[in-house]
Amino acid sequence: MLDGLLEGGTNRSIARKLGISPRTVELHRARLLAARLERCHGRQVKRLAGIVLLVLVAALAAFYLLVAPPRQLDLLDRLRAGNSGARLVARDVAYGAAPRQKLDIYDNPKAGRPPKPVLVFFYGGGWHGGDKDHYGFAARAYAAKGFLVVLPDYRLVPEVRFPAFVEDGAAAIAWTWRNAARFGGDPNRIVTAGHSAGAYEAIMPALDRKWLAAQGLPDNVIKAAAGLAGPYDFYPFDKPNSINAMGAYPRPLETQPIRFVRRDAPPLWLGHGTADTDVRVRNSRNLAAALKAVGGRAVLREYPGASHNDLIMAVSRPFRARLPVLDESSAFLMEQSRR
């Protein structure tokens, strides 16, 4: 009732009607106005919060749907990197004439002294996808472990088929051997690593001598190699990626890294998740067993319950605590590079 009376009239007229002082009427009116303003402000805040929430949800959905997963890892890694010291020292350096025959070089002046061991890292993508610009997180991670890191692109299906992408990998390694010293790297301490199809790119030239020989390189250029969830024993081809990449090759057994195990091969570190349904863990198990059977050296590291992408995610800073992939693979490569 009081609120209704306060809606009209002067303080004096309302005070006479209610038998109270004009000052009391003034105070009641002030409280009423404050309450209304507070309610109005609350509604505006709720509306604004709803709009902000919708914008955030839309932005996260766009990030998830439109940004390639490796690029997501790279962006998240950058947000968490802080002052790690890793940096891109050369970009889009040509190692061949084709548009995709380019590489980037990463270094971390805070980690190690030159001449440093050199790691050539190959990304995955089923031989039909991938972009070095999305894998800076992997290069920065290994650079922080003391390596000069070379990160190449290579030609992909359908532009090319086997063996063109293997030849590109060998050409990138050859360029590294001839030019690493200019960037503070030691050409006598080159190692390779990669994930998925990139693991194939890293392991194949380490086992089959002909790829580096075709580039005019000696046998012992690669001191060690690390494969993360890689395919090494997958013939007969039963998945679209391998069928498209290698199905037309007239001698399919020559596409299989396991066919080229030898006693004097560089030592291999083979990491694989036991729950990998994209590239079965038997690929790493079979290769490790075959290499050991001929007197070669291999470390098989299985990660129980890990999926195919868990291994490369674990290289990125936000997910590094999940699996010790980075620490274990880099320690192996660093030790072998000194021999």
Side-chain angles (χ1 to χ4, degrees), residues 35 51-52 78 92 117 125 191 205 220-221 279 282 292 296 299 334:
I51 293 171
V52 170
R78 287 177 183 274
D92 290 337
V191 296
N220 63 346
V221 166
V279 180
R282 64 175 175 79
K292 290 177 182 178
V299 172
M334 183 63 73

Side-chain angles (χ1 to χ4, degrees), residues 207-231:
L207 294 177
D208 187 355
R209 290 185 176 98
K210 67 174 174 283
W211 304 114
L212 295 185
Q215 297 291 328
L217 270 59
D219 282 349
N220 63 346
V221 166
I222 299 176
K223 303 304 180 187
L228 284 60

Side-chain angles (χ1 to χ4, degrees), residues 163-236:
F165 42 80
V166 181
E167 293 169 341
D168 284 2
I173 295 168
W175 184 95
T176 301
W177 184 66
R178 296 184 174 107
N179 294 276
R182 294 196 291 120
F183 299 91
D186 186 344
N188 296 314
R189 298 178 65 192
I190 293 176
V191 296
T192 60
H195 172 252
S196 192
Y200 179 96
E201 291 285 299
I203 298 295
M204 191 63 159
L207 294 177
D208 187 355
R209 290 185 176 98
K210 67 174 174 283
W211 304 114
L212 295 185
Q215 297 291 328
L217 270 59
D219 282 349
N220 63 346
V221 166
I222 299 176
K223 303 304 180 187
L228 284 60
Y232 318 114
D233 182 18
F234 54 97
Y235 181 77

Side-chain angles (χ1 to χ4, degrees), residues 12 30-31 40-41 50 108 124 131 156 167 184 203 211 222 229 231 234 250 253 266 277 288 292 296 304 325 331 339:
R12 288 183 179 278
R31 292 193 188 103
C40 181
H41 178 69
N108 189 331
D131 189 321
L156 301 170
E167 293 169 341
I203 298 295
W211 304 114
I222 299 176
F234 54 97
L253 291 179
T277 57
K292 290 177 182 178
V325 174
R339 296 185 175 184

